[in-house]
Amino acid sequence: MGEQREKLLRYYRGTEGAEEAEHLVDLAEQAEKSQKFRLTDFLDPFGQEIAETIAANYPSLVIDFDGGYQGAERCRAMFRDRDFGGSPAYDIAVVRATWNGTFVRLGHRDVLGSLMGLGIERGKIGDILATGDSARILCDKKMAEYLIANLKEIGSAAVEVAEDDLAAIAPKEERAKEIRATVASLRVDSIAAAGFGFSRSRAAADIKAEKLKLNWQSVKSASQTVKQGDVLSMRGRGRLEVEEIRGLTKKGRTSVVLKRYL
């Protein structure tokens, strides 16, 4: 077991996922030792990828994910012994914060900022589904009561908070458009510029500001190369998948098919 642990931690050492990997390995080993299950906090897609990699290295375990509704981006993972016969719950609740949308416009960033201002750990909060006058906040079940009692305002707006029904959340329908482009190279700045529709210099500036992520890790250099299946993401601009790399054109450029999720 020690060897397996060291191999996994060595793999993630020096990356943004190092601390998360250590915590997830602990949970996986607890599930294996108890022959039952262990539930994680809410994980972003990169965290989910780490959890899947870890589970694949423990043959006695299976892993499942749930974010409270179909299509959730942030999900809890459950490491479970293959022979465990129970049906453990993911302990996810949703609360709804409402405000007067006539006088103030609030979004995801405002809601998240207010939650962090209450000292809540990010891992206890799942997706935040904001509209013009309300936001559904997916959270750890134990956190729901605390939010109802303590979340009094978002930004400068007074809010009312009550528990809501998970079943009332519609499955997420992702809109996507296909982009066929030719790029000078498979550098991440070239692909981002082609997919998000801005210049390479703008892409380079966003990379420098750590706004662009490749496979849910911050891009460190504009010269990083991408491969088929990679995912680029940028808050406010959505997600971009490198669906196909088709090869060189007669002019020596690379033909790619990208899928942009809006």
Side-chain angles (χ1 to χ4, degrees):
M1 191 183 286
E3 248 178 63
Q4 193 72 339
R5 177 190 181 85
E6 182 52 37
K7 184 180 85 171
L8 284 162
L9 297 185
R10 190 165 59 243
Y11 179 73
Y12 286 106
R13 197 166 289 142
T15 73
E16 288 180 42
E19 191 176 328
E20 187 136 66
E22 186 169 2
H23 177 61
L24 292 172
V25 167
D26 285 343
L27 291 177
E29 292 192 341
Q30 289 168 27
E32 184 182 56
K33 189 174 180 181
S34 69
Q35 296 185 314
K36 292 183 180 177
F37 71 94
R38 287 294 183 272
L39 185 64
T40 73
D41 283 344
F42 287 94
L43 305 172
D44 64 16
F46 180 44
Q48 292 166 43
E49 193 178 284
I50 295 173
E52 279 192 301
T53 300
I54 289 168
N57 282 271
Y58 291 88
S60 65
L61 298 182
V62 292
I63 189 168
D64 295 299
F65 298 92
D66 194 328
Y69 69 102
Q70 189 180 326
E73 180 174 290
R74 294 177 60 81
C75 293
R76 302 188 84 165
M78 186 180 290
F79 295 108
R80 183 167 46 84
D81 187 273
R82 287 184 184 278
D83 297 324
F84 180 67
S87 300
Y90 284 84
D91 291 339
I92 298 172
V94 59
V95 299
R96 188 180 194 123
T98 56
W99 57 85
N100 189 332
T102 306
F103 300 108
V104 66
R105 302 293 293 181
L106 299 173
H108 180 283
R109 189 182 296 273
D110 303 297
V111 179
L112 181 59
S114 293
L115 295 174
M116 298 299 98
L118 289 174
I120 296 170
E121 293 176 22
R122 186 65 181 100
K124 301 301 179 187
I125 301 295
D127 284 1
I128 296 169
L129 309 173
T131 61
D133 58 5
S134 70
R136 286 188 174 113
I137 303 165
L138 282 292
C139 61
D140 182 295
K141 202 168 251 185
K142 293 174 186 170
M143 189 58 62
E145 199 173 311
Y146 180 81
L147 288 177
I148 291 167
N150 293 280
L151 184 59
K152 302 298 184 187
E153 58 182 24
I154 296 173
S156 59
V159 297
E160 292 184 8
V161 184
E163 189 152 4
D164 205 357
D165 181 10
L166 280 174
I169 303 176
K172 192 176 194 177
E173 290 184 27
E174 288 195 301
R175 291 182 299 127
K177 71 174 181 179
E178 187 177 271
I179 299 167
R180 292 173 180 266
T182 60
V183 291
S185 72
L186 292 175
R187 284 170 47 124
V188 69
D189 56 349
S190 287
I191 297 294
F196 290 122
F198 46 59
S199 67
R200 280 182 65 181
S201 59
R202 165 69 189 279
D206 284 340
I207 289 166
K208 195 171 182 181
E210 298 190 351
K211 290 182 180 179
L212 185 68
K213 293 193 172 186
L214 175 61
N215 298 327
W216 297 281
Q217 295 186 74
S218 294
V219 175
K220 300 300 183 188
S221 166
S223 64
Q224 275 182 247
T225 57
V226 302
K227 61 185 185 303
Q228 196 162 295
D230 279 353
V231 176
L232 283 76
S233 55
M234 185 182 291
R235 183 169 294 284
R237 286 188 173 268
R239 202 168 77 246
L240 188 68
E241 183 180 342
V242 183
E243 192 168 47
E244 190 180 352
I245 297 171
R246 310 192 83 173
L248 293 177
T249 67
K250 289 178 181 177
K251 293 184 177 180
R253 291 172 67 84
T254 302
S255 175
V256 294
V257 180
L258 309 172
K259 187 178 279 188
R260 183 174 173 189
Y261 296 89
L262 307 171

